[in-house]
Amino acid sequence: MIDRKTGFLELAFDKTIKPTMSLGEIKSMDIGESQSEIDMGNGWKWYNVRNVKVAELYFIISFGFLDDRLKQLSLVFSNSKYDLSKGWESWNEKEERRNAVVFDNWLKAELGSGKTFSWGEVWVDYDEKGGSSSIGIRYKN
């Protein structure tokens, strides 16, 4: 899914996310079950897509754009489709910390143990304040 040489995110044979893409280009791909956009008012916009099926996994992907150029991604995934009607009542700290371990193992399987590449950097994080775990990608472009 993540190309080690380029940092491209391959969602399907005809749907590849590249670090040079604009918000409009990614929106036109019509990926995921639901989409939302947030304008931060400082040049940054976030485009969130939910339940993007890649192979046997379901992803929620947040695309971060600065001045309409893709700069950052945040990914989470599950073996089953996300129930988008669930809220904070379903949150569990132990499960979320376990997700961080699962995400880290997946990222190592995708890219090896390296975290810095010619195209950017990757990481897995558990955010205590936000109560979530995710995989991050930041492009150098």
Side-chain angles (χ1 to χ4, degrees):
M1 180 171 166
I2 304 173
D3 186 298
R4 185 184 313 220
K5 292 178 183 171
T6 63
F8 292 4
L9 199 64
E10 299 169 3
L11 305 179
F13 76 94
D14 64 341
K15 296 190 184 206
T16 300
I17 305 298
K18 300 174 185 174
T20 56
M21 295 181 91
S22 69
L23 175 58
E25 288 173 310
I26 291 179
K27 281 176 135 180
S28 73
M29 295 175 106
D30 195 30
I31 55 176
E33 180 180 313
S34 74
Q35 304 81 23
S36 63
E37 184 179 331
I38 301 168
D39 187 336
M40 305 306 287
N42 60 1
W44 280 92
K45 288 184 181 178
W46 287 90
Y47 184 61
N48 305 300
V49 294
R50 295 162 199 85
N51 283 325
V52 178
K53 189 165 188 210
V54 180
E56 300 303 315
L57 297 173
Y58 290 88
F59 286 81
I60 295 176
I61 307 172
S62 295
F63 299 93
F65 297 87
L66 179 60
D67 299 325
D68 201 37
R69 187 170 183 165
L70 182 61
K71 291 290 188 182
Q72 193 166 316
L73 299 170
S74 176
L75 313 165
V76 297
F77 64 81
S78 174
N79 290 323
S80 57
K81 198 173 188 180
Y82 285 95
D83 181 349
L84 302 179
S85 67
K86 284 187 176 182
W88 278 104
E89 73 281 353
S90 65
W91 182 80
N92 177 304
E93 181 179 5
K94 193 174 186 177
E95 183 178 319
E96 202 56 50
R97 287 186 181 275
R98 192 173 26 242
N99 283 344
V101 172
V102 169
F103 296 161
D104 194 51
N105 290 336
W106 180 86
L107 190 60
K108 284 177 184 168
E110 285 285 303
L111 299 174
S113 60
K115 301 289 186 193
T116 304
F117 301 88
S118 62
W119 47 264
E121 62 182 315
V122 298
W123 66 91
V124 172
D125 183 43
Y126 172 72
D127 177 2
E128 288 187 28
K129 286 185 179 182
S132 64
S133 300
S134 64
I135 298 164
I137 299 173
R138 184 175 298 119
Y139 293 113
K140 287 183 180 177
N141 60 4

